Amino acid sequence: MELASLLQYLISGLTNGAIYALIALGFVIIYHATTIINFAQGEMVMLGALCAISIYHHYPSLPVAFVGGVVLVTIVGILFERLALRPVRDPNPLTLIIITVGGAVFLKGVAMILWGKEAYSLPSFSGDTPFHLGGATLLPQNLWVMGLTALVLLALESFFRLTLTGKAMRACAYNPRAARLVGISQSRMVLLSFALAAALGAGAGILIAPLTLGVYDMGTMVGLKGFCAAILGGLGSSFGGVLGGLILGVAESLATGLISSGYRDAVAFFILLLVLFIRPQGLIRGGS
Amino acid sequence: MNPRQFLNPWVLFGAAVLLTAAALHNDYYLTLINFIGIHTLLVVGLNLLMGYAGQISLGHAAFFGLGAYTSGILTATYGVDPWLAMLAGMLVCGLTAFLIGVPALKLRGYYLAMATLGFGIILYIVFNEAESWTGGPSGLTGIPDLSLFGFKLDTPKRLFLLIWPVLGGIMALSANLVDSRTGRALRALHEGEAAAQSLGVNTSRLKLMIFVWSALYASLAGSLYAHTLNFIAAASFGFMFSIKLVTMVVLGGMASIWGSFLGAAVLTVLPEMLTMFHDYEVIIFGVILMVVMIFLPRGLVRGIMDLWEFRRYKKEGGIIG
Amino acid sequence: MAFHAKAEKYLGEPLCLGALVVILFTMPILELQDISLAFGGLQALDKVSFAVGAGTVQAVIGPNGAGKTTLFNLITGFLSPQAGKVVFQDQEIQGRPPHQVAQMGIARTFQLVQLFDHMTVLENVMVGRHRLSRAGLLAGALRLPWTRGEEKSIKERALEELAFVGLGDRAQQPAATLPLGLKRLLEIARALAAEPTLLLLDEPASGLDAVETERLQEMILALRDRGLTILLVEHDMGLTMEVADQIAVLNYGQLIATGTPREVQRNEEVIAAYLGTDWQT
């Protein structure tokens, strides 16, 4: 493979990887607060993209569409936690898997009714004039995705480390009983984790929409890949999740170049199975 | 035979099959009933895995597809005898389940769910992409009819007379199984893996066995499906079909053979009867999955039976469970 | 009950030198040799060694967190020691998976009762027969003729064990509908159905009322008279002192004393470890 095309695959790999990283963060946050793997996480990505597209359609301002999409989906995440997970009386994994899968399917169905089966596009955040970089082209949207992901990551880290609420969330994850003793409300933290994860998913969906279009059934694939990224990172740290996302994105992109594009999605799941079977604790040991 | 024995579900089942064969001549309904049979076969297998052994599979459609494609490709492309192809399908499916099961069943809960889901999607992609073999999205045509004792099973009625007795046999096997030593061990594994192990149950071997066993049911169902339609396409074996099967298990009830039949029947007939159902199908599956699991985590039929039974014993003995 | 009286009862004849030799020098059925296990920085067990004589009741006591349940999990294969050996009937069993250990004839109950809630009381005990029966998946599905005989004997034996613990009239109800005291008894019946050589009881008296504890005590002695070896973790000191032939005392993962109930009660280190605890003897 020549250098230019290698660079091209690297660019698209890192872009997709950044998206997977955002979704992976959602998995990690919810897992930390509840030990639940939320199968509906991918649908938040889809909803984020489609909501933003609809808002933009009525009121063509990208910042408004972005914020509006994130807020709407965050509300969906909160409702999902309150209505579908809070009332569960026997919270064993089998029950929770089926409920979150049910939630995913439900949201997908609703999206199909609301938006139909066609794919929608969102304009790029700052035009489509490509940069040229050593024979490869780099779209401004690629930069937006990578830049905003980095920004979100920084913001999240400072939230968890510096703010009182963030510290409380981490305390809950480490030791729920002790957290309760010092007056932290576990149920509020769980709710917050779902809200945060939904917001992250929505953001990922809106960022990627200009590159891949938004369509009602995009959630399953993208959600699974986000999970794959989270597992690669060991489900432990946000850093691991981000690294997992980038590794997955690049691996997938390179494989597309080497094999064929039809099997592109299979690569991600092949990696997922490989990691689950060989090293379920993740490539990067889950640390603090 | 005393009158009570007539109320035995197996007697009723046999009578219903005979009656249907004798009285029903409408090809549309017979075809629909045949699909109920094929779905029940799948759901009984999945229920053994999910409802009885407590191991989830979100990729069961892959085994269904593997059976269907093995039958389809061997008969349509290579002209192999359909019955032989059916056996080959079961062999392929059993072997695949074994190879996937060895590493996958070491995983628990969410991880197992993700692994089976990933496996299902990989096979779905292969069904779509390996066009020279499978026909890809446009499908594989020219799958011949089955024939038995010189009769071509080319009408819905004749297929009915194959599918339903076969199903009856499989359901009887399954009912025997869950009421046997292995069946008790399966249920024990579901309700307390550590306790089961402490009594000498080799739980990892048992999980693998039941995973392969349920894949065999799916393969058989796939072969029957291929010969019923004479045509298969990848779209029938995707993620949504796996979810549909899980929904049938949940609706009918975990750990219930007859519940499997009910779940399969309801979710096969409803989409056909209500045309509006088609658009809302996915939403309805989602709602069923969530609502049933929130309120009756063991599924509808089993959940209601539990409530009744628990109430009875609480009343009788004045015991707080 | 005094040690002498117990020895008399055990042998059914007055105590003599020969009987003492038999009791004190019976071949150990289970031997722990320098077992150590640490969880992270916490040394759960530190070079613990003791032997359990065949046909005796051996109790393990100690304050909470002393490592008693960890010890049980090590013997039954749910945990592996980082150092040391577990020898059962002359075979090293440390590191073997739980089902293999169970198949060798070690059965256990759990500190938090672990029944198969949605199965009937009878079915719970029938699972106990697993290691002694052999119908596999295919034989069971086809209901081969020979499996019917096996099923019948499984059921009969299960009913016997249920009758032994006094649950004979509750065979058909779901296990979850039993009150806690009866659940503990059911768990014992299930373990007994496996016809173990060694039975491990993890706090069998917790959650039982006085009458039920009395019944449990009789049951343990009856089982020993059947020839079973019993290893017992228990907080109820009254019960422990009544039934135990030998007691091992753990404190912070270390074995601080072994001996007869009377010896242990007088041991100063034990008294120090239990300072403030009511011995209820």
Side-chain angles (χ1 to χ4, degrees):
Chain A
M1 206 185 300
E2 53 187 303
L3 195 68
S5 50
L6 190 69
L7 200 61
Q8 191 67 59
Y9 286 126
L10 206 61
I11 289 168
S12 74
L14 286 176
T15 309
N16 282 332
I19 297 296
Y20 301 154
L22 285 177
I23 304 163
L25 283 179
F27 277 109
V28 171
I29 288 170
I30 290 180
Y31 179 79
H32 255 193
T34 61
T35 71
I36 291 177
I37 302 287
N38 178 17
F39 281 75
Q41 184 65 16
E43 307 310 318
M44 304 301 168
V45 180
M46 173 273 292
L47 282 178
L50 289 177
C51 285
I53 288 167
S54 283
I55 293 172
Y56 186 81
H57 193 71
H58 292 290
Y59 187 86
S61 151
L62 276 169
V64 170
F66 193 101
V67 173
V70 170
V71 169
L72 277 179
V73 176
T74 307
I75 294 170
V76 172
I78 289 172
L79 287 177
F80 181 58
E81 197 274 336
R82 281 286 132 143
L83 298 179
L85 293 168
R86 185 57 56 88
V88 175
R89 286 174 303 174
D90 174 24
N92 66 59
L94 189 67
T95 307
L96 293 170
I97 290 168
I98 296 175
I99 288 175
T100 58
V101 167
V105 169
F106 174 76
L107 290 176
K108 184 193 282 191
V110 170
M112 195 183 86
I113 301 293
L114 290 180
W115 284 283
K117 290 186 176 175
E118 53 273 43
Y120 300 88
S121 70
L122 190 68
S124 302
F125 290 11
S126 51
D128 292 311
T129 323
F131 306 102
H132 292 279
L133 199 76
T137 51
L138 180 67
L139 292 170
Q141 192 69 23
N142 291 119
L143 292 176
W144 273 107
V145 171
M146 290 185 244
L148 277 181
T149 302
L151 212 64
V152 166
L153 186 64
L154 271 176
L156 261 184
E157 275 299 298
S158 30
F159 168 72
F160 279 125
R161 297 199 182 279
L162 302 178
T163 69
L164 201 60
T165 319
K167 283 179 186 164
M169 276 184 85
R170 291 203 302 162
C172 267
Y174 288 135
N175 193 339
R177 196 190 290 170
R180 201 161 38 239
L181 284 178
V182 297
I184 298 170
S185 154
Q186 167 89 9
S187 94
R188 227 185 95 228
M189 294 304 140
V190 170
L191 189 67
L192 196 58
S193 73
F194 272 85
L196 212 53
L200 283 170
I206 302 169
L207 279 175
I208 198 73
L211 292 172
T212 62
L213 306 179
V215 61
Y216 83 103
D217 65 354
M218 69 194 275
T220 315
M221 283 289 179
V222 92
L224 267 167
K225 288 178 186 172
F227 172 77
C228 179
I231 282 286
L232 271 168
L235 266 181
S237 61
S238 27
F239 174 72
V242 171
L243 204 58
L246 295 179
I247 292 173
L248 179 66
V250 171
E252 196 184 53
S253 170
L254 289 178
T256 314
L258 292 172
I259 317 167
S260 86
S261 61
Y263 283 105
R264 194 185 100 122
D265 289 331
V267 171
F269 298 116
F270 189 69
I271 295 174
L272 172 68
L273 289 189
L274 225 55
V275 175
L276 280 176
F277 290 172
I278 297 167
R279 236 186 120 74
Q281 72 274 39
L283 289 183
I284 303 115
R285 282 273 186 178
S288 56
Chain B
M1 210 186 257
N2 69 44
R4 268 188 76 89
Q5 270 173 306
F6 280 110
L7 288 175
N8 179 317
W10 297 102
V11 176
L12 288 176
F13 181 83
V17 169
L18 285 178
L19 201 70
T20 310
L24 192 63
H25 301 291
N26 180 316
D27 276 359
Y28 171 75
Y29 287 120
L30 278 167
T31 305
L32 188 61
I33 289 170
N34 287 341
F35 278 120
I36 293 177
I38 289 170
H39 287 160
T40 306
L41 191 50
L42 280 161
V43 176
V44 169
L46 185 58
N47 209 337
L48 287 176
L49 183 69
M50 226 172 96
Y52 286 95
Q55 309 299 309
I56 196 164
S57 167
L58 295 180
H60 220 58
F63 293 117
F64 181 54
L66 214 50
Y69 274 112
T70 313
S71 264
I73 292 169
L74 283 182
T75 53
T77 315
Y78 298 100
V80 175
D81 178 78
W83 299 105
L84 225 60
M86 201 178 276
L87 280 181
M90 290 172 81
L91 200 71
V92 169
C93 244
L95 208 64
T96 312
F98 181 81
L99 292 177
I100 281 291
V102 168
L105 293 164
K106 288 194 186 118
L107 304 168
R108 275 157 211 276
Y110 302 105
Y111 291 83
L112 177 63
M114 281 291 182
T116 52
L117 179 49
F119 163 73
I121 292 184
I122 289 178
L123 271 202
Y124 175 67
I125 292 171
V126 173
F127 293 152
N128 260 312
E129 295 297 322
E131 276 183 53
S132 54
W133 284 37
T134 63
S138 49
L140 182 71
T141 49
I143 301 169
D145 291 311
L146 287 165
S147 51
L148 197 58
F149 310 123
F151 281 103
K152 236 180 172 7
L153 303 179
D154 53 358
T155 65
K157 173 66 81 52
R158 289 178 176 183
L159 275 164
F160 174 86
L161 287 172
L162 172 72
I163 291 173
W164 279 82
V166 166
L167 175 65
I170 297 280
M171 282 172 72
L173 277 186
S174 312
N176 281 346
L177 172 64
V178 298
D179 196 28
S180 72
R181 170 177 176 266
T182 309
R184 283 189 300 271
L186 280 179
R187 288 180 283 160
L189 150 71
H190 185 178
E191 302 210 31
E193 188 162 352
Q197 288 173 333
S198 81
L199 297 165
V201 178
N202 184 347
T203 50
S204 35
R205 187 161 154 263
L206 192 61
K207 285 182 202 170
L208 187 59
M209 268 164 47
I210 202 67
F211 189 61
V212 172
W213 185 254
S214 80
L216 293 181
Y217 284 23
S219 174
L220 182 62
S223 297
L224 290 173
Y225 176 79
H227 290 295
T228 301
L229 270 188
N230 306 110
F231 164 81
I232 46 177
S236 318
F237 311 108
F239 172 64
M240 271 322 293
F241 190 67
S242 290
I243 297 301
K244 188 170 181 172
L245 293 176
V246 172
T247 314
M248 287 172 179
V249 171
V250 165
L251 185 68
M254 306 271 201
S256 162
I257 301 287
W258 293 104
S260 305
F261 171 56
L262 184 79
V266 169
L267 288 185
T268 310
V269 171
L270 271 189
E272 285 297 322
M273 294 290 148
L274 309 166
T275 37
M276 54 86 51
F277 194 98
H278 192 72
D279 279 342
Y280 293 92
E281 186 178 59
V282 179
I283 298 184
I284 292 170
F285 288 171
V287 170
I288 291 174
L289 287 174
M290 288 193 287
V291 171
V292 173
M293 287 319 270
I294 291 170
F295 297 107
L296 293 168
R298 299 231 298 154
L300 213 52
V301 170
R302 184 55 73 168
I304 290 166
M305 274 164 62
D306 282 352
L307 285 180
W308 183 77
E309 210 167 40
F310 275 61
R311 182 157 304 155
R312 189 168 76 123
Y313 282 106
K314 271 176 200 171
K315 224 176 256 169
E316 271 183 4
I319 299 157
I320 303 128
Chain C
M1 202 190 297
F3 178 63
H4 283 218
K6 217 186 258 178
E8 274 177 35
K9 188 180 168 196
Y10 179 60
L11 291 167
E13 60 184 37
L15 181 64
C16 62
L17 193 63
L20 245 182
V21 169
V22 168
I23 290 173
L24 296 179
F25 300 98
T26 32
M27 284 294 290
I29 193 166
L30 178 78
E31 254 185 292
L32 305 179
Q33 301 171 358
D34 290 325
I35 295 289
S36 294
L37 180 66
F39 297 115
L42 179 78
Q43 193 71 37
L45 288 172
D46 188 9
K47 293 196 172 167
V48 171
S49 302
F50 65 86
V52 182
T56 64
V57 175
Q58 165 91 46
V60 180
I61 62 171
N64 277 326
K68 295 166 305 212
T69 296
T70 306
L71 192 71
F72 266 32
N73 286 335
L74 277 171
I75 296 169
T76 48
F78 287 94
L79 291 171
S80 299
Q82 282 149 352
K85 290 179 189 169
V86 181
V87 180
F88 176 68
Q89 290 180 326
D90 298 328
Q91 281 182 286
E92 285 185 26
I93 59 167
Q94 76 276 4
R96 294 198 192 179
H99 71 268
Q100 275 184 23
V101 174
Q103 278 161 4
M104 296 178 70
I106 299 181
R108 71 173 291 180
T109 64
F110 293 85
Q111 191 178 354
L112 297 169
V113 179
Q114 295 202 17
L115 292 174
F116 310 126
D117 276 347
H118 291 97
M119 294 166 75
T120 65
V121 166
L122 176 63
E123 282 174 328
N124 265 270
V125 184
M126 287 171 82
V127 177
R129 299 297 291 168
H130 191 86
R131 83 171 183 106
L132 297 161
S133 41
R134 58 193 188 90
L137 193 150
L138 259 181
L142 295 171
R143 200 159 282 186
L144 297 178
W146 65 265
T147 65
R148 293 175 204 212
E150 189 179 86
E151 277 290 296
K152 207 171 144 235
S153 72
I154 289 175
K155 199 170 192 172
E156 277 166 8
R157 187 54 201 262
L159 284 169
E160 276 171 33
E161 298 299 351
L162 275 180
F164 174 75
V165 301
L167 283 172
D169 53 340
R170 293 183 179 263
Q172 295 308 329
Q173 73 187 66
T177 59
L178 291 178
L180 179 62
L182 297 185
K183 282 183 177 170
R184 290 225 178 262
L185 293 180
L186 173 56
E187 212 186 16
I188 293 174
R190 188 177 69 183
L192 287 176
E195 291 181 34
T197 334
L198 174 66
L199 175 63
L200 285 74
L201 300 174
D202 199 346
E203 298 195 20
S206 78
L208 300 196
D209 62 28
V211 181
E212 288 168 333
T213 307
E214 186 76 19
R215 267 196 51 72
L216 178 70
Q217 180 176 326
E218 284 164 22
M219 205 183 293
I220 291 174
L221 292 173
L223 287 172
R224 188 193 55 188
D225 292 344
R226 264 205 211 175
L228 240 78
T229 310
I230 294 172
L231 188 58
L232 172 76
V233 162
E234 187 47 67
H235 274 303
D236 183 329
M237 285 305 153
L239 175 73
T240 309
M241 293 301 156
E242 283 296 327
V243 300
D245 298 309
Q246 289 280 314
I247 296 180
V249 188
L250 284 177
N251 193 25
Y252 293 111
Q254 288 185 322
L255 187 69
I256 58 171
T258 51
T260 62
R262 201 180 292 181
E263 287 164 6
V264 164
Q265 267 168 293
R266 288 185 192 138
N267 185 306
E268 284 183 11
E269 212 178 331
V270 176
I271 295 169
Y274 269 95
L275 204 64
T277 307
D278 182 6
W279 280 82
Q280 304 172 345
T281 38

